Amino acid sequence: VQLVESGGGLVQTGGSLRLSCVGSGFTFDDYALGWFRQAPGKGREGVSCFNPSDGFTSYADSVKGRFTISADRAKNTVYLQMDSLKPEDTATYYCAADNIHSLRIGVELGIVDESHFWGQGTQVTVSS
């Protein structure tokens, strides 16, 4: 399993970015996909997850209403559209693959399983 993120960058408060994560080495329905982030000096936290088999999505409270997860099955790609960005969204964003239950625990309860398949991360910086 390989996950490659892209789309990070520097944006002003209130701006938008779209992150992409291209997966390879697995069939799209084999795993749920999620986005996590890690700010400097902090632990990794769940942001959102998506289950390709039924379209289920989940979001952390801190991003609800501002971030949207979606996927393009033909491209084996999951996206994270981030709108109304805030300085506290500044972090390295990671794509993860695993079963939906463990991803949901990370996103909804903040308990991150480091044994997920992980991408290398993409940096998002929101200036105030």
Side-chain angles (χ1 to χ4, degrees):
V1 172
Q2 282 195 317
L3 303 168
V4 179
E5 304 97 331
S6 62
L10 173 64
V11 64
Q12 291 185 332
T13 296
S16 298
L17 282 174
R18 188 177 81 155
L19 305 183
S20 301
C21 171
V22 179
S24 61
F26 63 99
T27 303
F28 202 62
D29 283 344
D30 286 348
Y31 295 103
L33 297 166
W35 288 96
F36 291 72
R37 66 187 182 186
Q38 186 168 22
K42 295 187 177 181
R44 190 139 48 181
E45 64 173 356
V47 175
S48 181
C49 59
F50 168 78
N51 191 6
S53 64
D54 61 8
F56 171 84
T57 61
S58 183
Y59 298 91
D61 288 342
S62 60
V63 306
K64 279 181 183 175
R66 300 188 298 122
F67 290 10
T68 304
I69 193 169
S70 63
D72 185 332
R73 183 182 298 272
K75 296 182 179 179
N76 248 36
T77 300
V78 64
Y79 303 98
L80 186 69
Q81 177 66 41
M82 305 187 295
D83 298 318
S84 302
L85 282 162
K86 305 175 182 180
E88 51 262 44
D89 294 318
T90 295
T92 301
Y93 282 71
Y94 297 90
C95 182
D98 209 326
N99 66 79
I100 186 62
H101 306 290
S102 62
L103 291 180
R104 283 188 67 181
I105 289 172
V107 171
E108 297 173 8
L109 300 180
I111 302 171
V112 178
D113 183 350
E114 293 293 336
S115 70
H116 297 328
F117 293 108
W118 296 100
Q120 83 289 348
T122 186
Q123 178 66 37
V124 172
T125 302
V126 184
S127 63
S128 56

